[in-house]
Amino acid sequence: MMGERTVMQEALFYGFSLERHVPDDHLLRHIDRFVDLSSIREHLRPFYSETGRPSVDPELMIRMLIIGYTHGIRSERRLCEEVHLNLAYRWFCRLDLAAAVPDHSTFSKNRHGRFRDSDLLRRLFEATVERCMAEGLVGGEGFAVDASLIKADANRQRGVPGSEGLPADATSHAVQEYLAVLDDAAFGAATPVAPKFISIADPASRWTAAEGGFAYFAYSTNYLIDLKHAVIMDVEATTSIRQAEVTAQRRMIERTQDRFGVWPQKLVADTGYGSAENLAWLVHERGIEPHIPVFEKSSRSDGTFSRSDFTYDHKRNVYICPAGKQLMHYRRAFSTPRVGVDEHGLMRYRASLADCRACALKAHCCPTQPQRNVQRSIHEGARDMARDIAKTDAYLVSRCERKKVEMLFAHLKRILKLDRLRLRGPNGAKDEFHLAATAQNLRKLAKLIPSGAPAMAG
């Protein structure tokens, strides 16, 4: 018998429970166990007036933002629509069926005011790190660091030449933030080189073609992760050049040690972090083993001997050339001692003119110069340490472990959909990167700590 469509009739009362309609295996159920926002109200209290109409609950806004970043919902307008319609989202936000969802403009108002003034999103991210540590997911023995380019919300065809600077009538929020970070080593002061183009819409973003394709405006998100379970220990937004990313690495290590008391034995990174100055900072100032390829610029392509063909004698402070002759820093004593270090932190070791003139290997060593010289960095000891580590089996393991941070970036862009920023300015990038890292740590907790497990690791 053919059935007939039932006409919906409004009932006077409903026996409906959101709790029963959210599946036990839903991602938000697993994440909800690790979301503790009880301290938010007290943290934000100084930023609210004691009089006037009640505001939108800040805990509700944070829960909605967590939904958006854990589920790749990039638009706050769409996020409000999804929370209005989705039962699981309402359950996570503690909204019953009749409760109203905040307007999308509420997020913008709070972001430019209370959230940034109180550094709330940084506090939220650090809370997830503390929970990962409490659950035993942080080993603390080895860290890895890397950066990834994220496209800025700026049209690549609407930039002005960097030599011309910004127009006088550019006064947006992003422009004001750009002017505020001109002296910041992670942005304007990272390099004295003017960019080829500047975006009027978001001038703090950097014109870059680092990925080998078309150039575009971008920011860099920098991750410092623990190698045990790839928990993100810190995150930093910078302009997209290597000097700024190395600065971010130092800030993240210092902040992690100060904030959480975690002091790793080793740091794993790629060649971009292998400069002499950075290796010396890790070894001498932080006592961290650099599992990092040394950034070398001494190799020659013309067939003549490179610096690596010369052996350094630590005891006598001389280099020995392939012919067995000495290259010395100074060949006589000066009445007034000389430092002998140039502005780049390099010392020059020279061979004897007589030795080079009579040497049978001169054509393979310095065919166009009367004598050979070799430059040595004042940080060469740290570079030698990194070279020695690179010969060990532990270094091979570290090279494989470094892929964990690259996998996090792939997850960030493909699953969380953060391949292009929605907010502008350094603060906008900072907000998005903090929320994305928070979402990734929460998803990590939900994946590795099964339901029914003890609340905290023993």
Side-chain angles (χ1 to χ4, degrees):
M1 185 174 83
M2 182 180 297
E4 296 183 4
R5 179 174 61 88
T6 302
V7 179
M8 185 181 71
Q9 294 181 353
E10 294 289 340
L12 293 177
F13 302 100
Y14 286 97
F16 188 88
S17 171
L18 280 174
E19 182 71 29
R20 293 200 306 266
H21 284 75
V22 180
D24 292 337
D25 59 351
H26 197 284
L27 175 62
L28 288 179
R29 272 202 183 274
H30 296 300
I31 288 177
D32 187 63
R33 296 175 293 144
F34 307 105
V35 177
D36 182 6
L37 304 179
S38 57
S39 63
I40 280 183
R41 292 181 182 278
E42 199 60 34
H43 179 69
L44 288 176
R45 191 174 300 280
F47 300 91
Y48 282 88
S49 172
E50 295 295 333
T51 60
R53 290 166 42 183
S55 68
V56 175
D57 184 359
E59 181 177 342
L60 170 59
M61 287 188 285
I62 293 299
R63 284 184 172 273
M64 290 179 66
L65 287 172
I66 289 174
I67 291 173
Y69 279 83
T70 54
H71 289 71
I73 303 175
R74 301 290 297 127
S75 165
E76 287 168 355
R77 187 186 296 269
R78 184 184 158 217
L79 174 62
C80 293
E81 295 173 353
E82 292 290 337
V83 172
H84 177 71
L85 296 171
N86 191 300
L87 295 180
Y89 294 174
R90 279 185 171 271
W91 172 84
F92 184 79
C93 292
R94 310 298 191 256
L95 292 173
D96 59 32
L97 291 178
V101 176
D103 187 80
H104 65 89
S105 63
T106 304
F107 293 95
S108 178
K109 293 177 182 177
N110 282 273
R111 179 167 49 246
H112 288 289
R114 301 182 184 98
F115 287 2
R116 288 179 183 170
D117 293 342
S118 65
D119 207 12
L120 178 65
L121 300 184
R122 158 61 62 173
R123 184 180 179 92
L124 178 66
F125 164 73
E126 290 180 347
T128 66
V129 179
E130 290 172 342
R131 188 58 186 267
C132 288
M133 294 174 64
E135 297 289 350
L137 301 186
V138 175
E141 296 180 357
F143 283 177
V145 66
D146 205 355
S148 184
L149 298 177
I150 306 293
K151 292 181 180 179
D153 184 25
N155 192 326
R156 62 183 298 271
Q157 297 178 338
R158 302 207 173 196
V160 297
S163 57
E164 296 181 4
L166 288 173
D169 58 349
T171 58
S172 65
H173 273 295
V175 170
Q176 294 172 14
E177 291 179 15
Y178 163 71
L179 296 175
V181 297
L182 284 177
D183 295 328
D184 189 337
F187 287 96
T191 174
V193 179
K196 186 175 182 180
F197 294 103
I198 297 177
S199 168
I200 299 176
D202 192 353
S205 61
R206 190 80 180 186
W207 178 260
T208 178
E211 295 180 343
F214 289 111
Y216 54 89
F217 294 105
Y219 285 92
S220 286
T221 179
N222 298 265
Y223 277 4
L224 181 70
I225 72 164
D226 181 83
L227 289 175
K228 182 178 180 180
H229 288 294
V231 170
I232 303 171
M233 300 298 295
D234 207 339
V235 57
E236 182 87 356
T238 65
T239 190
S240 296
I241 56 174
R242 181 55 66 179
Q243 298 94 312
E245 293 164 2
V246 173
T247 297
Q249 166 234 265
R250 297 187 184 187
R251 289 181 179 178
M252 292 189 293
I253 290 175
E254 290 173 341
R255 196 160 47 209
T256 300
Q257 292 172 345
D258 294 341
R259 180 69 179 82
F260 306 113
V262 180
W263 201 291
Q265 298 176 6
K266 67 178 182 179
L267 179 71
V268 183
D270 61 25
T271 312
Y273 299 86
S275 65
E277 295 81 2
N278 191 53
L279 294 174
W281 182 85
L282 290 169
V283 173
H284 300 308
E285 295 192 32
R286 293 292 159 174
I288 299 174
E289 293 182 2
H291 288 231
I292 304 172
V294 177
F295 184 66
E296 300 277 11
K297 297 190 292 184
S298 61
S299 297
R300 296 189 172 188
S301 58
D302 58 359
T304 59
F305 295 133
S306 299
R307 186 173 61 189
S308 58
D309 296 313
F310 294 74
T311 304
Y312 181 69
D313 187 328
H314 288 268
K315 184 178 294 186
R316 293 184 294 167
N317 188 27
V318 298
Y319 274 96
I320 307 299
C321 76
K325 303 298 182 180
Q326 294 183 5
L327 285 76
M328 304 177 66
H329 192 201
Y330 289 120
R331 292 188 173 272
R332 66 183 179 89
F334 295 93
S335 57
T336 302
R338 298 186 180 184
V339 177
V341 180
D342 65 17
E343 65 273 15
H344 303 294
L346 297 174
M347 300 177 290
R348 191 179 301 274
Y349 290 73
R350 296 177 176 85
S352 165
L353 186 62
D355 287 342
C356 287
R357 186 181 294 124
C359 183
L361 300 177
K362 188 176 188 303
H364 299 287
C365 186
C366 53
T368 62
Q369 299 294 327
Q371 65 191 116
R372 181 61 189 264
N373 68 79
V374 171
Q375 293 179 331
R376 178 178 177 83
S377 170
I378 58 175
H379 306 303
E380 200 67 27
R383 285 160 58 89
D384 288 340
M385 179 179 180
R387 293 187 186 102
D388 292 340
I389 291 174
K391 300 174 184 177
T392 65
D393 292 338
Y395 179 82
L396 298 178
V397 174
S398 296
R399 302 319 296 161
C400 294
E401 290 181 321
R402 195 179 71 83
K403 297 177 182 178
K404 292 181 179 181
V405 67
E406 295 175 351
M407 292 173 64
L408 282 171
F409 289 140
H411 180 269
L412 176 72
K413 296 177 181 180
R414 296 188 180 184
I415 307 302
L416 303 190
K417 312 295 186 186
L418 190 57
D419 54 350
R420 183 185 178 96
L421 291 173
R422 182 176 52 82
L423 306 179
R424 291 175 175 171
N427 286 331
K430 177 181 174 182
D431 290 349
E432 293 220 57
F433 295 160
H434 275 134
L435 283 167
T438 299
Q440 288 183 293
N441 277 351
L442 287 174
R443 290 176 67 112
K444 181 77 65 177
L445 283 162
K447 178 181 178 181
L448 296 181
I449 309 298
S451 298
M456 296 288 183

